[in-house]
Amino acid sequence: MPTLAYVGVDVGTSSTKGVLVGPDGAILRSATRAHAVQRPAPGHVEMDARVWWDELVAIVTLLTDDLAPGAARGADVPGDLEVAALGVSGMGPCVLLADEAGEPVRPAILYGVDTRATRQIAELDAALGRDTVLDRCGSALSSQAAGPKIAWVREHEPDVWARARRLFMPASYLAFRLTGAYVLDHHSASQSTPLYDPRTHAWIDDWADLVAPGLELPALRWAGEAAGVTREPLGGVPAGTPVTTGTIDAWSEAVSVDAHRVGDLMVMYGTTTFLVATVAEPLRSETMWGTVGAYPGTHNLAGGTATSGAITSWLRELTGADYPDLLAEAAASGPGAQGLLMLPYLAGERTPVQDPHARGVVAGLTLEHTRGDLYRAALEATAFAVRHNLETMRDAGAEITRAVAVGGGTQGDLWTQIVSDVTGLPQAVPARTIGASYGAAMLAAGIAHEHGHLVDVAAWNPPVRVVEPDPALRATYDELYALYRDLYPASRAVVHALTHRTEGAPA
């Protein structure tokens, strides 16, 4: 009996990552390919989908090439290792329109960081009724929703729209290229507001005809179901290997840390911060996202910032310092960042502010402040944003009994500690926090299990530590959080006027 392995690949905002995972959950190999998004106009964030496929091919080949028949095995893998299944996931919800053959007709429009469809949101709200959409779809229309972006293409690019026949997201596009199956997972569909009904788990045909007339919507499956099997060998992955339908990266990350039971909250530290709370039944919130989960019978209330790790990257590039120095200086700065307070809305803000025209604000600057103070203020700002999301979730009825942290930001202790101190919420940190690619491999292992291979996925990634909040800092951060909440409405009119001057956004 061969030793079975699983490959997981995730397409993120700034890179594609892949892992080769052994039968006990150990990561045998990993690979990353960096990429960049395009910003062709203010508020527009796009990416060429061909990059997703090229990077998947490169990563899978790198991870598995020596597993092909007759190849000399590397010393880091067992000699009888075979890939049993391949899992995919990716950022989203994205809008990738393609022709009948699945060839993209334009670059993919990204998730809530792309804010182009403001007018289409207003028009659909007027046509369908904002409350009606919220009640039927679980989420109000916002920059996160896929539907208004489809409408934007139909209005602004009629020649492109005339060639569009299919709708993909990163995971579904990779699954299609691998297997030929035109499918989309239910969770991704539930972020395609107003096209999907999370209660009936079906497309809303009349609204789809209004928003996307003539577009053939994909067949719906759950993230852990097989899309099909590989049509051709790829590296050491043989033809006929099962491929998952896959899902959006944050939900794959929740899978990777076993945070998908009622009461669980997944906090993803990445380019953006994403939060997924698993709830017993659909909840109504005007400013959060109600979705179905990665698994059948699950429901989520989710939220996300437009930036978080992106701010730390920006500050690193701006100052020319490396991360260890900035983290050390931020730790030395101490709670409150020596009197600095930041709004982290450098690319607008998603939940619960829902303001694509918001921008970053730094209050309290003096000539004495250092880059370490700015870095500390940025970390605290993202923590305040997490608290704002948590409070909104709880106000909507979500009960949060367990939080699990995942993503690149968990590698250092400072960021997670600040979030726990600001929110008062302990966070479990699992053994492996590599994120969505690992969750994609877990979903792949589930498919292999369905084909008769026994895999104890639940034992793959246990928690190894818990970040406990410091009660001595609660009063300090309660005071600063109140000021944070005051700063946005106090500065909104000025910021909107500035945004209008530079980008033509509504003042």
Side-chain angles (χ1 to χ4, degrees):
M1 183 82 178
T3 301
L4 300 181
Y6 314 96
V7 173
V9 177
D10 173 71
V11 176
T13 307
S14 57
S15 66
T16 299
K17 298 177 182 177
V19 290
L20 176 69
V21 178
D24 59 352
I27 297 174
L28 304 176
R29 294 172 177 167
S30 63
T32 301
R33 290 290 183 272
H35 54 235
V37 300
Q38 288 74 53
R39 301 178 185 272
H44 294 209
V45 187
E46 301 180 347
M47 193 170 178
D48 183 350
R50 291 171 295 189
V51 172
W52 307 340
W53 174 247
D54 291 345
E55 291 182 345
L56 176 136
V57 170
I59 285 174
V60 173
T61 301
L62 181 63
L63 293 176
T64 68
D65 204 27
D66 62 348
L67 305 183
R73 300 296 173 100
D76 56 339
V77 298
D80 61 347
L81 197 72
E82 292 183 5
V83 175
L86 194 158
V88 291
S89 65
M91 56 187 167
C94 299
V95 172
L96 173 62
L97 297 174
D99 63 18
E100 295 92 338
E103 287 295 320
V105 296
R106 72 173 321 283
I109 301 174
L110 268 55
Y111 53 96
V113 295
D114 184 287
T115 58
R116 74 182 69 198
T118 302
R119 186 165 58 79
Q120 286 72 29
I121 291 169
E123 290 172 349
L124 286 171
D125 276 339
L128 302 175
R130 185 172 180 82
D131 286 343
T132 303
V133 171
L134 178 58
D135 290 338
R136 191 171 185 185
C137 299
S139 299
L141 290 169
S142 70
S143 65
Q144 184 78 352
K149 294 173 184 179
I150 296 172
W152 185 94
V153 174
R154 182 164 55 86
E155 178 179 344
H156 288 271
E157 299 176 351
D159 292 342
V160 168
W161 180 255
R163 295 184 288 127
R165 294 294 182 271
R166 292 186 166 186
L167 170 67
F168 291 101
M169 295 191 191
S172 65
Y173 179 69
L174 295 178
F176 171 78
R177 292 292 302 266
L178 288 163
T179 71
Y182 180 43
V183 297
L184 185 70
D185 69 291
H186 284 277
H187 168 71
S188 297
S190 73
Q191 292 214 46
S192 299
T193 310
L195 305 181
Y196 177 88
D197 188 324
R199 290 177 174 81
T200 64
H201 298 125
W203 296 114
I204 303 173
D205 292 336
D206 54 337
W207 286 2
D209 289 341
L210 173 68
V211 175
L215 198 66
E216 175 195 352
L217 294 177
L220 294 169
R221 297 184 185 170
W222 293 98
E225 292 181 324
V229 297
T230 52
R231 295 180 290 182
E232 298 177 356
L234 176 58
V237 179
T241 300
V243 177
T244 66
T245 298
T247 189
I248 289 174
D249 53 5
W251 275 257
S252 186
E253 296 222 26
V255 169
S256 80
V257 294
D258 195 31
H260 49 80
R261 295 174 179 83
V262 173
D264 284 351
L265 174 76
M266 188 273 302
V267 185
M268 182 189 79
Y269 295 81
T271 303
T272 68
T273 297
F274 211 93
L275 302 99
V276 179
T278 303
V279 296
E281 58 187 22
L283 297 177
R284 190 182 195 276
S285 173
E286 293 187 0
T287 57
M288 308 299 289
W289 304 315
T291 74
V292 299
Y295 293 110
T298 58
H299 300 277
N300 299 120
L301 196 62
T305 65
T307 57
S308 60
I311 304 176
T312 66
S313 299
W314 171 71
L315 283 171
R316 179 180 61 83
E317 294 170 5
L318 195 66
T319 61
D322 58 22
Y323 284 124
D325 287 342
L326 287 169
L327 284 167
E329 292 168 14
S333 176
Q338 301 298 315
L340 288 186
L341 185 64
M342 179 184 291
L343 291 180
Y345 307 154
L346 276 69
E349 186 55 307
R350 295 192 286 173
T351 63
V353 175
Q354 298 286 16
D355 182 359
H357 308 305
R359 294 294 180 266
V361 173
V362 181
L365 270 173
T366 70
L367 294 174
E368 285 72 37
H369 281 115
T370 67
R371 67 187 186 189
D373 298 328
L374 278 169
Y375 202 78
R376 177 81 187 208
L379 296 179
E380 291 182 342
T382 63
F384 294 141
V386 168
R387 179 167 170 177
H388 194 183
N389 276 278
L390 283 176
E391 290 182 353
T392 308
M393 287 177 167
R394 286 172 168 147
D395 288 345
E399 294 186 10
I400 296 168
T401 57
R402 173 176 172 264
V404 185
V406 67
T410 62
Q411 298 305 309
D413 294 334
L414 184 60
W415 195 1
T416 51
Q417 186 63 58
I418 290 173
V419 169
S420 282
D421 291 341
V422 166
T423 62
L425 191 69
Q427 298 174 85
V429 181
R432 301 177 180 95
T433 60
I434 193 170
S437 59
Y438 192 64
M442 282 184 164
L443 292 171
I447 291 178
H449 177 79
E450 291 176 2
H451 283 71
H453 304 295
L454 297 179
V455 183
D456 187 6
V457 174
W460 276 18
N461 200 17
V464 292
R465 63 186 175 92
V466 177
V467 181
E468 295 284 354
D470 184 348
L473 296 178
R474 187 57 191 252
T476 296
Y477 278 129
D478 283 350
E479 179 182 359
L480 289 169
Y481 177 67
L483 294 173
Y484 168 87
R485 292 292 302 273
D486 288 342
L487 185 56
Y488 169 68
S491 60
R492 179 170 48 202
V494 172
V495 167
H496 280 193
L498 293 172
T499 304
H500 176 66
R501 284 176 56 85
T502 57
E503 300 181 6

